Amino acid sequence: MNILVPNLGSTSLKYRIVAMPSEEVLTKGHFERVSDYDEVISKVALGEVKVDAVAFKAVHAGPKYQGTFVVDDAVMAAQEEFLGAAPAHNAIYLTGMRAFARALPGVPLVAAFETEYHATMPEYAVRYGVPSDWHDRFGVRRYGFHGASHRFIAERVAELLGVPAEGLRLVSCHLGGSSSMCAVKDGRSIDTSMGFSPQSGLENAARHGDLDVFAVLYVMERNGWTIDEVRRQLSRVSGLAGLSNVPGGDVRDIEKAIAGGSAAARLALDVFVYEIRKYIGAYAVAMGGLDAIAFTGGIGENSPRLRAECCAGLGFLGVELDAAANGNGSGDRLLSAPGSRVKVLAVAANEEIIVARRAYACLQARLTTVG
Ligand code: ADP
């Protein structure tokens, strides 16, 4: 079964077609500056390799859809319902799913939701202190995102260390344009930094992280700002961009600004690193100890400076980085010193393979049920 896995950005489309269950990548491609999704998607859908299913790294469809599902009207409606919780992400996937449905009539579309991996979080880690009505009627609770990435890291780290996932206490740090952390115990997510929306936890490139909700009400009331205006500011000019005054909040640009003497840029990374370190500490307690920390995503894989700052002074937890291993090399590798009790690793993200596997399992299960 050939599964096409698209990765939809606001103006880009990456994709690969994976043969399942062999996991052989048959083809892959990349379009930049996309203005007409339909045009690009028909090119991708009607290429040389026959497509048997399309699998999406879908984002948010609330409590009923923390899993992998064949896309139907109900799945589309649930993504619409949670559009306000993940506006940029859900809108692009709704557009993409409609375009693929037009381009490939009769080919099943599968949504592997980013929230699925966090379905194992205990109820006490999921709930917010709001009226229970908000939870029961409107699904206001922690969901967590980047599930495909954290799941991949959980499996890959166990493999790289040559240990079973059972018994492993791992902190997975997905640091990129969008960032989150996950406490992985026995291979399962028991806590994660993102919550009801992907606008929580760590600072993202241009989206805010954790924020006192009353600050939002305060600036809205004080300035007469509309919901759309506040949403724009919190999604486009906040996070690392907001703190550093570096438009876009790309860590490469922030590192350049630091080298050029920008105190705001330095502060932005200080805030980011401090938050990451707090989560490492919190998750070590949540898991009753710590065996490994893994860095992935554009920043996690590529910024030795940030990894070093995150791990500095954590000897009391058993973390000791090897400066040479951290500073050099590429690909999946160990960054901790030989005597470090906690293993530190850099791992290249591969969310697409998880999405392909989830979709394949979902379609196989459907075949079995249908008979
Ligand atoms: P997304 O979350 O959008 O999928 P990625 O995981 O690809 O993003 O990460 C993109 C981010 O990675 C960029 O915004 C940039 O901050 C960071 N990045 C990429 N390369 C480097 C590098 N060499 N050094 C520091 N940061 C980097």
Side-chain angles (χ1 to χ4, degrees), residues 168-309:
L168 186 68
R169 296 161 301 183
L170 161 72
V171 174
S172 168
C173 312
H174 178 108
L175 311 176
S178 177
S179 298
S180 77
M181 296 181 54
C182 183
V184 180
K185 192 177 187 198
D186 301 325
R188 285 180 288 278
S189 168
I190 63 154
D191 202 354
T192 191
S193 60
M194 282 178 169
F196 175 71
S197 80
Q199 300 247 150
S200 48
L202 298 174
E203 307 297 326
N204 303 287
R207 303 197 317 272
H208 72 87
D210 276 348
L211 172 61
D212 183 332
V213 290
F214 257 54
V216 179
L217 301 181
Y218 176 80
V219 292
M220 285 180 81
E221 203 162 46
R222 186 146 180 188
N223 298 293
W225 285 341
T226 61
I227 291 177
D228 279 347
E229 173 55 18
V230 177
R231 188 186 285 129
R232 185 194 67 78
Q233 293 195 40
L234 294 177
S235 312
R236 306 255 176 90
V237 292
S238 292
L240 296 175
L243 281 163
S244 65
N245 300 322
V246 171
D250 188 308
V251 166
R252 286 165 293 197
D253 298 336
I254 294 175
E255 289 183 340
K256 266 188 224 141
I258 294 174
S262 164
R266 182 60 265 175
L267 178 67
L269 282 202
D270 286 348
V271 169
F272 192 50
V273 166
Y274 182 63
E275 294 290 327
I276 294 167
R277 291 163 62 83
K278 281 207 292 192
Y279 278 110
I280 292 174
Y283 291 167
V285 169
M287 296 187 292
L290 183 63
D291 303 306
I293 301 173
F295 291 95
T296 190
I299 304 169
E301 289 167 41
N302 299 310
S303 179
R305 166 210 204 112
L306 200 110
R307 292 192 301 251
E309 290 181 5

Side-chain angles (χ1 to χ4, degrees), residues 1-5 16-28 49-53 352-353 355-357 359-360 364:
M1 181 186 287
N2 298 343
I3 302 189
L4 180 122
V5 186
R16 62 179 68 171
I17 301 178
V18 189
M20 294 301 286
S22 76
E23 302 192 353
E24 183 192 347
V25 177
L26 302 173
T27 182
K28 54 178 160 179
V49 181
K50 183 172 135 309
V51 175
D52 301 309
E352 289 78 8
I353 198 64
V355 173
R357 285 178 196 160
Y360 181 68
Q364 290 298 108

Side-chain angles (χ1 to χ4, degrees), residues 15-249:
Y15 71 95
R16 62 179 68 171
I17 301 178
V18 189
M20 294 301 286
S22 76
E23 302 192 353
E24 183 192 347
V25 177
L26 302 173
T27 182
K28 54 178 160 179
H30 192 177
F31 294 89
E32 289 288 351
R33 297 180 211 280
V34 177
S35 54
D36 182 351
Y37 257 110
D38 272 307
E39 188 189 318
V40 174
I41 283 174
S42 23
K43 262 192 219 155
V44 173
L46 305 171
E48 275 160 34
V49 181
K50 183 172 135 309
V51 175
D52 301 309
V54 185
F56 297 88
K57 189 161 68 75
V59 180
H60 202 343
K64 272 200 343 222
Y65 294 100
Q66 263 193 299
T68 300
F69 302 88
V70 172
V71 176
D72 58 14
D73 290 349
V75 172
M76 293 299 275
Q79 289 178 93
E80 292 274 8
E81 198 185 321
F82 280 84
L83 191 58
H89 301 88
N90 270 22
I92 200 94
Y93 277 91
L94 284 162
T95 305
M97 286 172 188
R98 291 193 184 107
F100 273 105
R102 280 190 292 272
L104 290 168
V107 170
L109 309 184
V110 182
F113 284 101
E114 287 284 57
T115 52
E116 176 173 13
Y117 185 57
H118 305 296
T120 46
M121 276 166 63
E123 188 70 3
Y124 56 75
V126 159
R127 294 293 290 268
Y128 294 121
V130 291
S132 38
D133 208 34
W134 290 26
H135 170 268
D136 302 346
R137 292 179 58 203
F138 309 118
V140 175
R141 38 156 288 197
R142 224 178 266 281
Y143 292 92
F145 300 90
H146 290 141
S149 178
H150 292 304
R151 185 191 295 273
F152 178 76
I153 295 301
E155 292 173 8
R156 184 76 180 125
V157 165
E159 183 181 80
L160 289 165
L161 295 178
V163 297
E166 205 65 35
L168 186 68
R169 296 161 301 183
L170 161 72
V171 174
S172 168
C173 312
H174 178 108
L175 311 176
S178 177
S179 298
S180 77
M181 296 181 54
C182 183
V184 180
K185 192 177 187 198
D186 301 325
R188 285 180 288 278
S189 168
I190 63 154
D191 202 354
T192 191
S193 60
M194 282 178 169
F196 175 71
S197 80
Q199 300 247 150
S200 48
L202 298 174
E203 307 297 326
N204 303 287
R207 303 197 317 272
H208 72 87
D210 276 348
L211 172 61
D212 183 332
V213 290
F214 257 54
V216 179
L217 301 181
Y218 176 80
V219 292
M220 285 180 81
E221 203 162 46
R222 186 146 180 188
N223 298 293
W225 285 341
T226 61
I227 291 177
D228 279 347
E229 173 55 18
V230 177
R231 188 186 285 129
R232 185 194 67 78
Q233 293 195 40
L234 294 177
S235 312
R236 306 255 176 90
V237 292
S238 292
L240 296 175
L243 281 163
S244 65
N245 300 322
V246 171

